[in-house]
Amino acid sequence: MAATTTLFLSLFLLFLARAQSQTRPTPAAPPPASDFCNGIFLSYTYTGGSPTTPKDDPGGSSSHQRSEVGLYQNVALKLKEAILYGVSLEDIKKELFNEVEQESEKLAQKFEENILDATKNYEKVVVDKKEIEGLPFTTLALAAETAISKGYDNVNAGPWIITLDGPIYRSVMQHAHNRSLREDIYCAYVSRASEGPLNNTPIIERILELRLEKAKLLGHVNYAEL
């Protein structure tokens, strides 16, 4: 509650300062250095003038209103962000909120780690060059280097190892003539970390539970309302 009060106080002081600045008299415009002003892009003779205020300028009022609307929207956004971070919660709820946030961050990190590990663990050994027709030379070279690193010999005639690393995956999906190969690689890519010790399904379920708990702590029915 203290943080929310401070935020509203800052907002009030901001509007007060703006109101005071608008009521100050506008200083007179200084005269030009000489009666004639010849620039690169224009030439004119100064004969006199008076300062223009937003009230005198037909476009000034609407411009000022747009500025105020933008300010209100920005403040409203900041307030919403502060509320979503739990600044208005009571001590007990705020402690629970922080625990939910910390666990969510750990689960999100674990989720990404499982995806990376599953990507590195996958490999498809291809021994028939016809299965990889259409792949560029650079992709074949990467697949051959991977096979060498795994202890395979005779890489000039195969085998080749297809992985889910970005460059190889995109190349297979774009250039491989073999429909079955594209299907295998695609299915493996979109189902990474969905089974075995790297299964992300329990992590996803727990993240959904934490999101619901977070929403209820903030006074909402579900996470979609945030």
Side-chain angles (χ1 to χ4, degrees):
M1 294 298 292
T4 305
T5 303
T6 303
L7 187 59
F8 278 108
L9 179 59
S10 300
L11 176 61
F12 172 75
L13 293 176
L14 175 62
F15 282 122
L16 181 61
R18 287 177 59 84
Q20 290 177 347
S21 64
Q22 293 172 2
T23 57
R24 294 173 183 171
T26 304
S34 62
D35 292 340
F36 294 88
C37 178
N38 296 317
I40 298 177
F41 300 106
L42 55 86
S43 297
Y44 64 88
T45 300
Y46 178 81
T47 59
S50 60
T52 302
T53 65
K55 292 183 180 179
D56 299 328
D57 184 4
S61 178
S62 60
S63 176
H64 175 70
Q65 291 176 355
R66 288 195 298 269
S67 177
E68 290 294 334
V69 170
L71 178 62
Y72 294 147
Q73 291 176 342
N74 185 49
V75 171
L77 180 61
K78 295 298 183 183
L79 286 174
K80 182 178 180 180
E81 290 178 353
I83 292 174
L84 292 179
Y85 278 110
V87 297
S88 61
L89 296 177
E90 298 177 355
D91 292 340
I92 297 178
K93 287 187 176 181
K94 191 169 186 178
E95 184 177 352
L96 293 174
F97 181 89
N98 291 335
E99 292 177 358
V100 168
E101 289 288 87
Q102 292 174 5
E103 185 177 355
S104 297
E105 291 178 1
K106 292 180 180 179
L107 289 174
Q109 182 178 356
K110 181 61 176 176
F111 181 93
E112 293 296 332
E113 290 175 354
N114 286 348
I115 291 290
L116 291 175
D117 290 340
T119 301
K120 293 178 180 179
N121 292 343
Y122 178 86
E123 60 181 42
K124 180 179 179 64
V125 180
V126 178
V127 295
D128 187 354
K129 194 171 184 178
K130 291 183 179 180
E131 295 185 22
I132 53 176
E133 287 182 349
L135 293 183
F137 173 79
T138 53
T139 303
L140 294 175
L142 286 174
E145 290 179 3
T146 304
I148 292 175
S149 67
K150 300 293 183 178
Y152 288 96
D153 297 326
N154 301 322
V155 293
N156 291 330
W160 298 266
I161 293 182
I162 305 299
T163 67
L164 297 180
D165 290 336
I168 292 183
Y169 170 76
R170 289 189 294 269
S171 181
V172 170
M173 298 306 299
Q174 293 176 6
H175 303 292
H177 296 171
N178 189 340
R179 179 187 179 93
S180 178
L181 176 64
R182 297 198 308 270
E183 181 180 1
D184 289 345
I185 297 302
Y186 174 78
C187 291
Y189 188 85
V190 298
S191 61
R192 290 170 297 168
S194 61
E195 59 183 4
L198 299 177
N199 190 358
N200 271 336
T201 302
I203 294 179
I204 295 174
E205 293 174 349
R206 180 55 182 163
I207 289 177
L208 293 177
E209 293 175 356
L210 291 173
R211 287 183 175 182
L212 178 59
E213 186 176 350
K214 175 181 178 179
K216 290 183 177 180
L217 285 172
L218 295 175
H220 296 277
V221 177
N222 53 59
Y223 188 79
E225 293 184 356
L226 299 183

